[in-house]
Amino acid sequence: MSKIATLEIDGKKYEFPILVGSENEVAIDINNLRDLSGAITMDPGFKNSGSCTSKITFLDGEEGVLRYRGYSIEELSEKANFLEVSFLLIFGELPTAKQLEKFENDIRRHSLVNEEMKSIIDGFPKTAHPMGVLAALTSALTAFNPKSVNVENEKEMYEAVCKTMAKFLVIASWTYRKSVGFPLNYYDNTKGYVENFMRLMFEVPTEPYKENPVIIAALDKLFILHADHEQNCSTSTVRMVGSSHAGLFASISAGVSALWGPLHGGANQAVLEMLEEIHANGGDAEKYMAKAKDKNDPFRLMGFGHRVYKNFDPRAKIIKKAADEVLNTLGVEDPILDIAKKLEEAALVDEYFVSRKLYPNVDFYSGIIYRALGIPTDMFTVMFAIGRLPGWIAQWKEMRENKEPIGRPRQMYTGQTLRDFKPLEKR
Ligand code: CMC
């Protein structure tokens, strides 16, 4: 392949280098396009624009492939645990047994959250959405950890990673405890990370908490499946905010806000609400399919479609299987699962969905599992955020280590040209 791309504007030719990634992805490096030609490119939604090079996650949307640091998502979700995968994403290699033990212990060491954070939570009404509270609390952590991380100092960066992993899990669970009026509790340093999450959420002072290993294993798998997804909306946000050299907590707080939207992580809550509505209205999946296809109706089939996957989302395949297993093992019969399967079957043979390559995405079945595990619906996106945390940290770290410049897109101005100011009395 030629190593040069040629662009012609107004009869003048410009040449740009062609870059090829390790999986043979091709990019045209237009870094000096404006300097040379005065022109910029337009690509709203960044459908064709790369913002960085990255060694973290590879995804091939046409083939339905997802790999973290070269390892397939199928193998990782089967054989590794969430902290191993987090270490892999953040530090580049799978940990040795010793490194993993140290990582787990170092996270424990940072699990106390400043007591003054509790008064911040007290300021929120009980009805506040947990994602809004989580974004605010993550941002508030900057007040208690004001020192910015020196990314070139390995020890400092490692400590920041452990601190973020530990405190985020605790405050995520507190958003739920606040909403139900439970006393805020503490990480138990004798337990594992995912085990701790369930305790942090559901343990009450009045009776012993009984763990369910099926639930822990299912959550672990779900967290792995959500752990990274290259330059999606929230991750790009984390990298963008971090590119101004804002701190790790501030950048992650921005990522939480981006994730909240129903077109992104908020879709898992929207899917379950949609399935419940279909169920409540007699289970007529066809009616909702018709609504989704009607261009005069803003309704979209939530949990379907993806910006990058134009083939099955590999995570959805794994989650669908896990949903069946978890519901069977827990002995839960959920009519919602049947509606989901009916909708999927109908969409897979429907011309509208087939021609637009709209397949179930990661969020389509995850809510059904969360529901079976006893997680309330408005906590679903918080669950996604916990899973995505190591990805955000890894991408933030990589961006700073690569010394990427501050993110600052261009625009094409289409507003008024210069005009005279009219004094107030003449308008
Ligand atoms: N239901 C009905 N029609 C759809 C849907 C859907 N879920 N998704 C896309 N379309 C149609 C859309 O109307 C458009 O049709 P036309 O070409 O006739 O105008 C076409 O398919 C292309 O859609 P698009 O909006 O241009 O595609 P996009 O790449 O900008 O959007 C998406 C991707 C995920 C935002 C979109 O598919 C969607 O809104 N899905 C529902 C929300 C959802 O499940 N989000 C979770 C995404 S996966 C997890 C995550 O990233 O957080």
PDB file of all heavy atoms in Angstrom, residues 47 262-265 267 292 295 300-307 310 352-353 356 358 361-363 384, ligand 1:
ATOM      1  N   LYS A  47     -17.069  10.103  13.534  1.00  0.00           N
ATOM      2  CA  LYS A  47     -17.293   8.760  12.980  1.00  0.00           C
ATOM      3  C   LYS A  47     -16.074   8.232  12.244  1.00  0.00           C
ATOM      4  O   LYS A  47     -15.925   7.030  12.059  1.00  0.00           O
ATOM      5  CB  LYS A  47     -18.511   8.774  12.058  1.00  0.00           C
ATOM      6  CG  LYS A  47     -19.815   8.994  12.816  1.00  0.00           C
ATOM      7  CD  LYS A  47     -21.023   8.780  11.948  1.00  0.00           C
ATOM      8  CE  LYS A  47     -22.286   8.951  12.775  1.00  0.00           C
ATOM      9  NZ  LYS A  47     -23.512   8.607  12.106  1.00  0.00           N
ATOM     10  N   PRO A 262     -28.596   8.132  28.105  1.00  0.00           N
ATOM     11  CA  PRO A 262     -29.242   6.896  27.642  1.00  0.00           C
ATOM     12  C   PRO A 262     -28.711   6.349  26.323  1.00  0.00           C
ATOM     13  O   PRO A 262     -28.962   5.191  25.999  1.00  0.00           O
ATOM     14  CB  PRO A 262     -30.724   7.296  27.503  1.00  0.00           C
ATOM     15  CG  PRO A 262     -30.722   8.778  27.401  1.00  0.00           C
ATOM     16  CD  PRO A 262     -29.525   9.270  28.158  1.00  0.00           C
ATOM     17  N   LEU A 263     -27.969   7.158  25.548  1.00  0.00           N
ATOM     18  CA  LEU A 263     -27.386   6.602  24.321  1.00  0.00           C
ATOM     19  C   LEU A 263     -26.085   5.870  24.627  1.00  0.00           C
ATOM     20  O   LEU A 263     -25.525   5.186  23.780  1.00  0.00           O
ATOM     21  CB  LEU A 263     -27.114   7.713  23.295  1.00  0.00           C
ATOM     22  CG  LEU A 263     -28.339   8.470  22.809  1.00  0.00           C
ATOM     23  CD1 LEU A 263     -27.984   9.378  21.643  1.00  0.00           C
ATOM     24  CD2 LEU A 263     -29.474   7.526  22.404  1.00  0.00           C
ATOM     25  N   HIS A 264     -25.582   6.050  25.852  1.00  0.00           N
ATOM     26  CA  HIS A 264     -24.311   5.399  26.257  1.00  0.00           C
ATOM     27  C   HIS A 264     -24.660   4.445  27.400  1.00  0.00           C
ATOM     28  O   HIS A 264     -25.550   3.609  27.256  1.00  0.00           O
ATOM     29  CB  HIS A 264     -23.330   6.516  26.630  1.00  0.00           C
ATOM     30  CG  HIS A 264     -21.904   6.114  26.810  1.00  0.00           C
ATOM     31  ND1 HIS A 264     -21.418   4.883  26.492  1.00  0.00           N
ATOM     32  CD2 HIS A 264     -20.829   6.819  27.304  1.00  0.00           C
ATOM     33  CE1 HIS A 264     -20.120   4.837  26.771  1.00  0.00           C
ATOM     34  NE2 HIS A 264     -19.738   5.997  27.269  1.00  0.00           N
ATOM     35  N   GLY A 265     -24.005   4.577  28.550  1.00  0.00           N
ATOM     36  CA  GLY A 265     -24.204   3.613  29.639  1.00  0.00           C
ATOM     37  C   GLY A 265     -25.606   3.612  30.219  1.00  0.00           C
ATOM     38  O   GLY A 265     -26.078   2.598  30.748  1.00  0.00           O
ATOM     39  N   ALA A 267     -28.148   3.362  28.801  1.00  0.00           N
ATOM     40  CA  ALA A 267     -29.028   2.473  28.031  1.00  0.00           C
ATOM     41  C   ALA A 267     -29.420   1.244  28.843  1.00  0.00           C
ATOM     42  O   ALA A 267     -30.518   0.713  28.654  1.00  0.00           O
ATOM     43  CB  ALA A 267     -28.345   2.051  26.733  1.00  0.00           C
ATOM     44  N   ALA A 292     -40.187   1.674  16.951  1.00  0.00           N
ATOM     45  CA  ALA A 292     -38.754   1.939  16.735  1.00  0.00           C
ATOM     46  C   ALA A 292     -38.471   2.248  15.262  1.00  0.00           C
ATOM     47  O   ALA A 292     -37.567   3.015  14.943  1.00  0.00           O
ATOM     48  CB  ALA A 292     -37.933   0.734  17.193  1.00  0.00           C
ATOM     49  N   LYS A 295     -40.285   6.691  11.713  1.00  0.00           N
ATOM     50  CA  LYS A 295     -39.413   7.875  11.740  1.00  0.00           C
ATOM     51  C   LYS A 295     -40.067   9.085  12.412  1.00  0.00           C
ATOM     52  O   LYS A 295     -39.390  10.048  12.779  1.00  0.00           O
ATOM     53  CB  LYS A 295     -38.961   8.243  10.316  1.00  0.00           C
ATOM     54  CG  LYS A 295     -37.941   7.275   9.747  1.00  0.00           C
ATOM     55  CD  LYS A 295     -36.574   7.447  10.444  1.00  0.00           C
ATOM     56  CE  LYS A 295     -35.709   6.215  10.290  1.00  0.00           C
ATOM     57  NZ  LYS A 295     -34.699   6.023  11.303  1.00  0.00           N
ATOM     58  N   ARG A 300     -36.590   4.592  20.321  1.00  0.00           N
ATOM     59  CA  ARG A 300     -35.579   3.690  19.773  1.00  0.00           C
ATOM     60  C   ARG A 300     -35.595   2.407  20.575  1.00  0.00           C
ATOM     61  O   ARG A 300     -35.859   2.439  21.779  1.00  0.00           O
ATOM     62  CB  ARG A 300     -34.183   4.299  19.890  1.00  0.00           C
ATOM     63  CG  ARG A 300     -33.926   5.310  18.839  1.00  0.00           C
ATOM     64  CD  ARG A 300     -32.471   5.736  18.795  1.00  0.00           C
ATOM     65  NE  ARG A 300     -32.237   6.437  17.531  1.00  0.00           N
ATOM     66  CZ  ARG A 300     -31.062   6.670  17.006  1.00  0.00           C
ATOM     67  NH1 ARG A 300     -29.977   6.272  17.615  1.00  0.00           N
ATOM     68  NH2 ARG A 300     -30.952   7.318  15.857  1.00  0.00           N
ATOM     69  N   LEU A 301     -35.289   1.320  19.928  1.00  0.00           N
ATOM     70  CA  LEU A 301     -35.212   0.062  20.654  1.00  0.00           C
ATOM     71  C   LEU A 301     -33.924   0.105  21.473  1.00  0.00           C
ATOM     72  O   LEU A 301     -32.827  -0.006  20.922  1.00  0.00           O
ATOM     73  CB  LEU A 301     -35.178  -1.086  19.643  1.00  0.00           C
ATOM     74  CG  LEU A 301     -35.707  -2.423  20.117  1.00  0.00           C
ATOM     75  CD1 LEU A 301     -37.125  -2.310  20.655  1.00  0.00           C
ATOM     76  CD2 LEU A 301     -35.685  -3.418  18.966  1.00  0.00           C
ATOM     77  N   MET A 302     -34.065   0.327  22.775  1.00  0.00           N
ATOM     78  CA  MET A 302     -32.874   0.499  23.609  1.00  0.00           C
ATOM     79  C   MET A 302     -32.126  -0.826  23.697  1.00  0.00           C
ATOM     80  O   MET A 302     -32.740  -1.893  23.717  1.00  0.00           O
ATOM     81  CB  MET A 302     -33.264   1.011  25.005  1.00  0.00           C
ATOM     82  CG  MET A 302     -33.948   2.356  24.991  1.00  0.00           C
ATOM     83  SD  MET A 302     -33.129   3.594  23.946  1.00  0.00           S
ATOM     84  CE  MET A 302     -31.733   4.068  24.937  1.00  0.00           C
ATOM     85  N   GLY A 303     -30.783  -0.725  23.736  1.00  0.00           N
ATOM     86  CA  GLY A 303     -29.977  -1.948  23.769  1.00  0.00           C
ATOM     87  C   GLY A 303     -29.710  -2.502  22.386  1.00  0.00           C
ATOM     88  O   GLY A 303     -29.117  -3.575  22.259  1.00  0.00           O
ATOM     89  N   PHE A 304     -30.125  -1.754  21.352  1.00  0.00           N
ATOM     90  CA  PHE A 304     -29.844  -2.172  19.974  1.00  0.00           C
ATOM     91  C   PHE A 304     -29.019  -1.116  19.274  1.00  0.00           C
ATOM     92  O   PHE A 304     -29.241   0.072  19.460  1.00  0.00           O
ATOM     93  CB  PHE A 304     -31.146  -2.383  19.186  1.00  0.00           C
ATOM     94  CG  PHE A 304     -31.619  -3.791  19.266  1.00  0.00           C
ATOM     95  CD1 PHE A 304     -32.309  -4.221  20.382  1.00  0.00           C
ATOM     96  CD2 PHE A 304     -31.335  -4.694  18.259  1.00  0.00           C
ATOM     97  CE1 PHE A 304     -32.725  -5.531  20.486  1.00  0.00           C
ATOM     98  CE2 PHE A 304     -31.746  -6.011  18.357  1.00  0.00           C
ATOM     99  CZ  PHE A 304     -32.453  -6.433  19.473  1.00  0.00           C
ATOM    100  N   GLY A 305     -28.102  -1.571  18.444  1.00  0.00           N
ATOM    101  CA  GLY A 305     -27.298  -0.657  17.645  1.00  0.00           C
ATOM    102  C   GLY A 305     -26.026  -0.285  18.369  1.00  0.00           C
ATOM    103  O   GLY A 305     -25.944  -0.345  19.607  1.00  0.00           O
ATOM    104  N   HIS A 306     -25.026   0.063  17.600  1.00  0.00           N
ATOM    105  CA  HIS A 306     -23.757   0.481  18.175  1.00  0.00           C
ATOM    106  C   HIS A 306     -22.991   1.274  17.149  1.00  0.00           C
ATOM    107  O   HIS A 306     -23.047   0.957  15.961  1.00  0.00           O
ATOM    108  CB  HIS A 306     -22.920  -0.745  18.610  1.00  0.00           C
ATOM    109  CG  HIS A 306     -21.838  -0.375  19.552  1.00  0.00           C
ATOM    110  ND1 HIS A 306     -20.623   0.103  19.132  1.00  0.00           N
ATOM    111  CD2 HIS A 306     -21.806  -0.371  20.908  1.00  0.00           C
ATOM    112  CE1 HIS A 306     -19.886   0.364  20.184  1.00  0.00           C
ATOM    113  NE2 HIS A 306     -20.567   0.093  21.274  1.00  0.00           N
ATOM    114  N   ARG A 307     -22.317   2.326  17.599  1.00  0.00           N
ATOM    115  CA  ARG A 307     -21.551   3.142  16.666  1.00  0.00           C
ATOM    116  C   ARG A 307     -20.491   2.317  15.933  1.00  0.00           C
ATOM    117  O   ARG A 307     -20.252   2.512  14.750  1.00  0.00           O
ATOM    118  CB  ARG A 307     -20.899   4.311  17.434  1.00  0.00           C
ATOM    119  CG  ARG A 307     -19.859   5.090  16.651  1.00  0.00           C
ATOM    120  CD  ARG A 307     -20.390   5.705  15.370  1.00  0.00           C
ATOM    121  NE  ARG A 307     -21.431   6.674  15.587  1.00  0.00           N
ATOM    122  CZ  ARG A 307     -21.238   7.931  15.988  1.00  0.00           C
ATOM    123  NH1 ARG A 307     -20.014   8.370  16.214  1.00  0.00           N
ATOM    124  NH2 ARG A 307     -22.252   8.750  16.136  1.00  0.00           N
ATOM    125  N   LYS A 310     -20.903  -3.362  13.723  1.00  0.00           N
ATOM    126  CA  LYS A 310     -21.872  -3.523  12.650  1.00  0.00           C
ATOM    127  C   LYS A 310     -22.051  -5.030  12.427  1.00  0.00           C
ATOM    128  O   LYS A 310     -22.368  -5.513  11.349  1.00  0.00           O
ATOM    129  CB  LYS A 310     -21.408  -2.802  11.375  1.00  0.00           C
ATOM    130  CG  LYS A 310     -21.200  -1.299  11.585  1.00  0.00           C
ATOM    131  CD  LYS A 310     -22.469  -0.582  12.099  1.00  0.00           C
ATOM    132  CE  LYS A 310     -22.187   0.852  12.556  1.00  0.00           C
ATOM    133  NZ  LYS A 310     -23.239   1.457  13.365  1.00  0.00           N
ATOM    134  N   TYR A 352     -35.580  -3.555   8.552  1.00  0.00           N
ATOM    135  CA  TYR A 352     -35.111  -2.268   9.094  1.00  0.00           C
ATOM    136  C   TYR A 352     -33.825  -2.485   9.908  1.00  0.00           C
ATOM    137  O   TYR A 352     -32.822  -1.805   9.711  1.00  0.00           O
ATOM    138  CB  TYR A 352     -36.203  -1.647   9.975  1.00  0.00           C
ATOM    139  CG  TYR A 352     -35.790  -0.371  10.679  1.00  0.00           C
ATOM    140  CD1 TYR A 352     -36.100   0.869  10.142  1.00  0.00           C
ATOM    141  CD2 TYR A 352     -35.097  -0.405  11.892  1.00  0.00           C
ATOM    142  CE1 TYR A 352     -35.723   2.050  10.785  1.00  0.00           C
ATOM    143  CE2 TYR A 352     -34.718   0.761  12.534  1.00  0.00           C
ATOM    144  CZ  TYR A 352     -35.035   1.987  11.978  1.00  0.00           C
ATOM    145  OH  TYR A 352     -34.659   3.147  12.622  1.00  0.00           O
ATOM    146  N   PHE A 353     -33.870  -3.452  10.818  1.00  0.00           N
ATOM    147  CA  PHE A 353     -32.727  -3.687  11.714  1.00  0.00           C
ATOM    148  C   PHE A 353     -31.564  -4.347  10.970  1.00  0.00           C
ATOM    149  O   PHE A 353     -30.417  -4.003  11.184  1.00  0.00           O
ATOM    150  CB  PHE A 353     -33.165  -4.531  12.923  1.00  0.00           C
ATOM    151  CG  PHE A 353     -33.989  -3.742  13.887  1.00  0.00           C
ATOM    152  CD1 PHE A 353     -35.366  -3.642  13.737  1.00  0.00           C
ATOM    153  CD2 PHE A 353     -33.392  -3.048  14.933  1.00  0.00           C
ATOM    154  CE1 PHE A 353     -36.128  -2.878  14.606  1.00  0.00           C
ATOM    155  CE2 PHE A 353     -34.142  -2.281  15.809  1.00  0.00           C
ATOM    156  CZ  PHE A 353     -35.526  -2.193  15.642  1.00  0.00           C
ATOM    157  N   ARG A 356     -29.718  -1.883   8.645  1.00  0.00           N
ATOM    158  CA  ARG A 356     -28.927  -0.889   9.391  1.00  0.00           C
ATOM    159  C   ARG A 356     -27.897  -1.544  10.304  1.00  0.00           C
ATOM    160  O   ARG A 356     -27.236  -0.871  11.081  1.00  0.00           O
ATOM    161  CB  ARG A 356     -29.860   0.014  10.199  1.00  0.00           C
ATOM    162  CG  ARG A 356     -30.634   0.984   9.322  1.00  0.00           C
ATOM    163  CD  ARG A 356     -31.734   1.683  10.106  1.00  0.00           C
ATOM    164  NE  ARG A 356     -32.486   2.611   9.277  1.00  0.00           N
ATOM    165  CZ  ARG A 356     -33.399   2.245   8.370  1.00  0.00           C
ATOM    166  NH1 ARG A 356     -33.663   0.964   8.182  1.00  0.00           N
ATOM    167  NH2 ARG A 356     -34.038   3.150   7.646  1.00  0.00           N
ATOM    168  N   LEU A 358     -28.272  -3.351  12.989  1.00  0.00           N
ATOM    169  CA  LEU A 358     -28.571  -3.074  14.399  1.00  0.00           C
ATOM    170  C   LEU A 358     -28.720  -4.401  15.143  1.00  0.00           C
ATOM    171  O   LEU A 358     -29.682  -5.135  14.934  1.00  0.00           O
ATOM    172  CB  LEU A 358     -29.865  -2.258  14.513  1.00  0.00           C
ATOM    173  CG  LEU A 358     -29.876  -0.900  13.795  1.00  0.00           C
ATOM    174  CD1 LEU A 358     -31.272  -0.280  13.801  1.00  0.00           C
ATOM    175  CD2 LEU A 358     -28.887   0.052  14.449  1.00  0.00           C
ATOM    176  N   ASN A 361     -26.699  -4.861  21.843  1.00  0.00           N
ATOM    177  CA  ASN A 361     -25.388  -4.460  22.365  1.00  0.00           C
ATOM    178  C   ASN A 361     -25.238  -4.925  23.812  1.00  0.00           C
ATOM    179  O   ASN A 361     -26.127  -5.583  24.355  1.00  0.00           O
ATOM    180  CB  ASN A 361     -25.192  -2.946  22.202  1.00  0.00           C
ATOM    181  CG  ASN A 361     -26.276  -2.142  22.922  1.00  0.00           C
ATOM    182  OD1 ASN A 361     -26.588  -2.416  24.087  1.00  0.00           O
ATOM    183  ND2 ASN A 361     -26.869  -1.176  22.233  1.00  0.00           N
ATOM    184  N   VAL A 362     -24.119  -4.536  24.420  1.00  0.00           N
ATOM    185  CA  VAL A 362     -23.765  -5.009  25.764  1.00  0.00           C
ATOM    186  C   VAL A 362     -24.878  -4.754  26.787  1.00  0.00           C
ATOM    187  O   VAL A 362     -25.055  -5.503  27.746  1.00  0.00           O
ATOM    188  CB  VAL A 362     -22.437  -4.359  26.217  1.00  0.00           C
ATOM    189  CG1 VAL A 362     -22.598  -2.856  26.436  1.00  0.00           C
ATOM    190  CG2 VAL A 362     -21.869  -5.004  27.448  1.00  0.00           C
ATOM    191  N   ASP A 363     -25.647  -3.680  26.552  1.00  0.00           N
ATOM    192  CA  ASP A 363     -26.640  -3.281  27.544  1.00  0.00           C
ATOM    193  C   ASP A 363     -27.953  -4.043  27.437  1.00  0.00           C
ATOM    194  O   ASP A 363     -28.827  -3.889  28.287  1.00  0.00           O
ATOM    195  CB  ASP A 363     -26.930  -1.778  27.422  1.00  0.00           C
ATOM    196  CG  ASP A 363     -25.766  -0.951  27.921  1.00  0.00           C
ATOM    197  OD1 ASP A 363     -25.086  -1.424  28.849  1.00  0.00           O
ATOM    198  OD2 ASP A 363     -25.529   0.137  27.398  1.00  0.00           O
ATOM    199  N   PHE A 384     -22.154  -0.179  35.530  1.00  0.00           N
ATOM    200  CA  PHE A 384     -21.351   0.004  34.319  1.00  0.00           C
ATOM    201  C   PHE A 384     -20.117   0.850  34.662  1.00  0.00           C
ATOM    202  O   PHE A 384     -18.988   0.533  34.267  1.00  0.00           O
ATOM    203  CB  PHE A 384     -22.237   0.694  33.255  1.00  0.00           C
ATOM    204  CG  PHE A 384     -21.705   0.711  31.846  1.00  0.00           C
ATOM    205  CD1 PHE A 384     -22.585   0.769  30.762  1.00  0.00           C
ATOM    206  CD2 PHE A 384     -20.353   0.683  31.571  1.00  0.00           C
ATOM    207  CE1 PHE A 384     -22.134   0.800  29.449  1.00  0.00           C
ATOM    208  CE2 PHE A 384     -19.884   0.711  30.254  1.00  0.00           C
ATOM    209  CZ  PHE A 384     -20.770   0.781  29.202  1.00  0.00           C
TER     210      PHE A 384
HETATM  211  N1  CMC B   1     -33.681   1.649  17.359  1.00  0.00           N
HETATM  212  C1  CMC B   1     -34.176   2.048  16.167  1.00  0.00           C
HETATM  213  N2  CMC B   1     -33.433   2.609  15.179  1.00  0.00           N
HETATM  214  C2  CMC B   1     -32.117   2.755  15.425  1.00  0.00           C
HETATM  215  C3  CMC B   1     -31.519   2.362  16.636  1.00  0.00           C
HETATM  216  C4  CMC B   1     -32.352   1.783  17.624  1.00  0.00           C
HETATM  217  N3  CMC B   1     -31.840   1.399  18.801  1.00  0.00           N
HETATM  218  N4  CMC B   1     -30.204   2.641  16.599  1.00  0.00           N
HETATM  219  C5  CMC B   1     -29.974   3.195  15.405  1.00  0.00           C
HETATM  220  N5  CMC B   1     -31.125   3.268  14.674  1.00  0.00           N
HETATM  221  C6  CMC B   1     -31.282   3.742  13.289  1.00  0.00           C
HETATM  222  C7  CMC B   1     -31.232   5.254  13.228  1.00  0.00           C
HETATM  223  O1  CMC B   1     -32.532   5.826  13.344  1.00  0.00           O
HETATM  224  C8  CMC B   1     -30.623   5.469  11.862  1.00  0.00           C
HETATM  225  O2  CMC B   1     -31.638   5.227  10.901  1.00  0.00           O
HETATM  226  P1  CMC B   1     -31.634   6.059   9.492  1.00  0.00           P
HETATM  227  O3  CMC B   1     -30.363   5.678   8.823  1.00  0.00           O
HETATM  228  O4  CMC B   1     -32.856   5.591   8.796  1.00  0.00           O
HETATM  229  O5  CMC B   1     -31.679   7.497   9.881  1.00  0.00           O
HETATM  230  C9  CMC B   1     -29.605   4.331  11.736  1.00  0.00           C
HETATM  231  O6  CMC B   1     -30.144   3.283  12.552  1.00  0.00           O
HETATM  232  C10 CMC B   1     -28.197   4.693  12.193  1.00  0.00           C
HETATM  233  O7  CMC B   1     -28.294   5.205  13.524  1.00  0.00           O
HETATM  234  P2  CMC B   1     -27.336   6.336  14.121  1.00  0.00           P
HETATM  235  O8  CMC B   1     -28.035   6.994  15.267  1.00  0.00           O
HETATM  236  O9  CMC B   1     -26.841   7.208  13.012  1.00  0.00           O
HETATM  237  O10 CMC B   1     -26.137   5.477  14.625  1.00  0.00           O
HETATM  238  P3  CMC B   1     -25.051   5.929  15.659  1.00  0.00           P
HETATM  239  O11 CMC B   1     -23.846   5.144  15.380  1.00  0.00           O
HETATM  240  O12 CMC B   1     -24.911   7.418  15.677  1.00  0.00           O
HETATM  241  O13 CMC B   1     -25.703   5.543  17.087  1.00  0.00           O
HETATM  242  C11 CMC B   1     -26.295   4.354  19.021  1.00  0.00           C
HETATM  243  C12 CMC B   1     -25.351   4.426  17.817  1.00  0.00           C
HETATM  244  C13 CMC B   1     -25.778   3.304  20.008  1.00  0.00           C
HETATM  245  C14 CMC B   1     -26.283   5.717  19.766  1.00  0.00           C
HETATM  246  C15 CMC B   1     -27.723   4.015  18.532  1.00  0.00           C
HETATM  247  O14 CMC B   1     -27.725   2.767  17.884  1.00  0.00           O
HETATM  248  C16 CMC B   1     -28.760   4.014  19.658  1.00  0.00           C
HETATM  249  O15 CMC B   1     -29.306   5.090  19.990  1.00  0.00           O
HETATM  250  N6  CMC B   1     -29.057   2.826  20.292  1.00  0.00           N
HETATM  251  C17 CMC B   1     -29.965   2.766  21.414  1.00  0.00           C
HETATM  252  C18 CMC B   1     -29.230   3.167  22.691  1.00  0.00           C
HETATM  253  C19 CMC B   1     -28.260   2.105  23.163  1.00  0.00           C
HETATM  254  O16 CMC B   1     -28.600   0.932  23.250  1.00  0.00           O
HETATM  255  N7  CMC B   1     -27.051   2.547  23.554  1.00  0.00           N
HETATM  256  C20 CMC B   1     -26.018   1.660  24.110  1.00  0.00           C
HETATM  257  C21 CMC B   1     -24.820   1.545  23.233  1.00  0.00           C
HETATM  258  S1  CMC B   1     -23.719   0.222  23.721  1.00  0.00           S
HETATM  259  C22 CMC B   1     -23.107   0.636  25.274  1.00  0.00           C
HETATM  260  C23 CMC B   1     -22.439   1.945  25.362  1.00  0.00           C
HETATM  261  O17 CMC B   1     -21.753   2.370  24.452  1.00  0.00           O
HETATM  262  O18 CMC B   1     -22.575   2.569  26.388  1.00  0.00           O
END
